[in-house]
Amino acid sequence: DGGITQSPKYLFRKEGQNVTLSCEQNLNHDAMYWYRQDPGQGLRLIYYSQIVNDFQKGDIAEGYSVSREKKESFPLTVTSAQKNPTAFYLCASRPLMQAGPIQPQHFGDGTRLSIL
Amino acid sequence: KNEVEQSPQNLTAQEGEFITINCSYSVGISALHWLQQHPGGGIVSLFMLSSGKKKHGRLIATINIQEKHSSLHITASHPRDSAVYICAVRSYPGTYKYIFGTGTRLKVLA
């Protein structure tokens, strides 16, 4: 079945350490997104990418970095510059079509990151 | 004030009850998305609509573009409907940005 796979499901980070969250999709979607979810808040966009080797900052990109070397993969690195990284991270993807109805985003199951 | 507001924030219902969750937004949109988030955190897309009404099984979603309001209805609710329901709007004019509500936590008791 096609879908989005995020790994790991739970991740622990020590202070000052960079960690990378994996997001892989086999839906052949062009656009991919990273969101952060905190209790009591809506999802907030960290980064998004519409095509390979191109990505754009979202609303809360500081302390994060991404790459898009392959269409199916969009890893997110949480750097030591991110002072409050504990959160639930969701990856999403969506096809980009020139005509027809807008397609919804598909989401992964998320990665919960905690600081030790 | 958030650009996407949901009400209620929390809702407890008895099995079989008719449930309504509301979403109001203050920005221009090209589409509105209803999502379901299960306790484990994974999110499933329920509906995407830009006008009118959509129905899938016991779920019905409506949108009124003029009033900038959408509702998600669940008929004959069941404990397995217990989840967080999230409204998201795709902003317009032309960006790929979605703005999310904070969600409505629904608990259906047997």
Side-chain angles (χ1 to χ4, degrees):
Chain A
D1 285 341
I4 299 176
T5 301
Q6 288 189 242
S7 62
K9 192 168 178 64
Y10 299 95
L11 187 57
F12 299 92
R13 191 191 95 169
K14 293 181 181 178
E15 297 268 359
Q17 194 178 49
N18 293 357
V19 290
T20 298
L21 283 60
S22 170
C23 178
E24 303 277 332
Q25 53 99 359
N26 59 3
L27 299 164
N28 199 34
H29 286 174
D30 305 288
M32 296 187 75
Y33 307 79
W34 273 107
Y35 294 99
R36 171 180 171 139
Q37 187 178 36
D38 294 283
Q41 297 192 41
L43 276 68
R44 291 182 291 167
L45 182 64
I46 304 173
Y47 268 99
Y48 68 97
S49 168
Q50 297 178 47
I51 57 172
V52 173
N53 292 323
D54 186 60
F55 46 83
Q56 307 295 327
K57 290 183 179 180
D59 298 319
I60 55 165
E62 186 175 349
Y64 300 97
S65 65
V66 293
S67 63
R68 187 91 186 272
E69 296 177 4
K70 298 185 295 183
K71 186 175 184 179
E72 58 269 24
S73 179
F74 191 40
L76 173 74
T77 297
V78 184
T79 75
S80 57
Q82 172 47 243
K83 297 306 176 189
N84 186 23
T86 297
F88 188 62
Y89 292 87
L90 281 155
C91 178
S93 70
R94 188 175 73 88
L96 297 179
M97 301 179 71
Q98 298 302 320
I102 296 168
Q103 297 298 311
Q105 291 190 340
H106 295 247
F107 288 84
D109 287 336
T111 293
R112 193 166 298 279
L113 175 63
S114 301
I115 297 299
L116 292 178
Chain B
K1 191 177 189 302
N2 293 335
E3 293 167 303
V4 178
E5 296 272 3
Q6 286 185 238
S7 64
Q9 287 188 310
N10 294 284
L11 181 57
T12 300
Q14 293 293 325
E15 184 173 358
E17 284 186 12
F18 180 84
I19 289 164
T20 296
I21 299 170
N22 296 299
C23 176
S24 296
Y25 53 92
S26 57
V27 296
I29 72 166
S30 55
L32 183 142
H33 204 170
W34 280 104
L35 305 161
Q36 182 189 52
Q37 185 170 31
H38 286 281
I43 289 180
V44 174
S45 172
L46 297 175
F47 296 103
M48 184 160 225
L49 63 168
S50 55
S51 65
K53 178 179 173 177
K54 286 191 176 180
K55 184 176 189 293
H56 186 256
R58 295 180 295 106
L59 301 177
I60 303 166
T62 63
I63 188 168
N64 185 317
I65 298 294
Q66 287 73 30
E67 295 185 4
K68 295 190 171 181
H69 180 268
S70 175
S71 293
L72 176 68
H73 305 285
I74 305 175
T75 62
S77 60
H78 189 276
R80 64 175 174 265
D81 297 326
S82 299
V84 175
Y85 292 84
I86 299 171
C87 171
V89 300
R90 187 173 184 271
S91 60
Y92 180 87
T95 72
Y96 293 103
K97 182 175 179 178
Y98 286 79
I99 306 170
F100 293 81
T102 55
T104 294
R105 187 174 298 275
L106 171 65
K107 186 171 184 178
V108 182
L109 304 175

